[in-house]
Amino acid sequence: MLIPCIHFQGNCDVALKFYKDALGAEVKSINYAKDAPPNSGTDELPPNFVMHSEVIICGTNFSLTDGAERPISGEHISFLIIFDTAEEVTAAFEKLVVDGSIVEPLSPVFWSPLYGFVVDQFGVHWQVMVKQ
């Protein structure tokens, strides 16, 4: 499954409410920094910092996030691919990162058993994860 992911700079909560009102977005899940387990590296983030959300807008699945990085203008979009297995996630991650760069290394996160984020050799932003 391929899901577009839109990155916000600390106002994802506001954007979620806006899209809910403006487009009838259905929020399926929201994972805030405050929901993260202790020692997960989110202690410095504001409690309502959206780590990951799943939303349906006009019949299409999206992920909206505040993201850990600070995107520059024009780099607010990434693609999120949800795989069934960790092996599929690892294989995709390893192929996408060739001549690219790692934004977030493969690791467990509180919304997925395995997650990673890369920018490929063409500058396309990809997130890969195992479905929960």
Side-chain angles (χ1 to χ4, degrees):
M1 178 184 317
L2 177 65
I3 298 173
C5 182
I6 304 172
H7 297 251
F8 298 88
Q9 295 182 1
N11 61 350
C12 186
D13 244 0
V14 174
L16 283 164
K17 290 177 181 119
F18 172 78
Y19 294 129
K20 190 174 180 178
D21 181 57
L23 300 172
E26 178 186 350
V27 178
K28 301 299 274 184
S29 68
I30 302 175
N31 298 101
Y32 293 101
K34 66 183 175 191
D35 300 325
N39 301 317
S40 62
T42 61
D43 297 338
E44 302 289 320
L45 298 173
N48 286 336
F49 190 94
V50 177
M51 303 297 296
H52 174 76
S53 72
E54 293 181 26
V55 181
I56 298 174
I57 302 174
C58 301
T60 300
N61 292 326
F62 284 85
S63 175
L64 279 63
T65 180
D66 280 318
E69 75 288 351
R70 291 288 175 208
I72 59 173
S73 182
E75 294 185 356
H76 301 301
I77 302 290
S78 66
F79 295 97
L80 170 64
I81 305 175
I82 299 176
F83 291 98
D84 291 326
T85 68
E87 292 77 19
E88 292 171 304
V89 168
T90 301
F93 186 91
E94 289 174 353
K95 290 175 185 174
L96 287 168
V97 77
V98 172
D99 295 326
S101 61
I102 295 173
V103 177
E104 294 287 334
L106 283 176
S107 65
V109 291
F110 70 96
W111 63 86
S112 174
L114 187 62
Y115 167 86
F117 190 163
V118 301
V119 177
D120 71 17
Q121 62 183 315
F122 306 104
V124 178
H125 296 221
W126 296 96
Q127 298 179 73
V128 293
M129 66 183 256
V130 175
K131 70 178 179 180
Q132 280 191 337

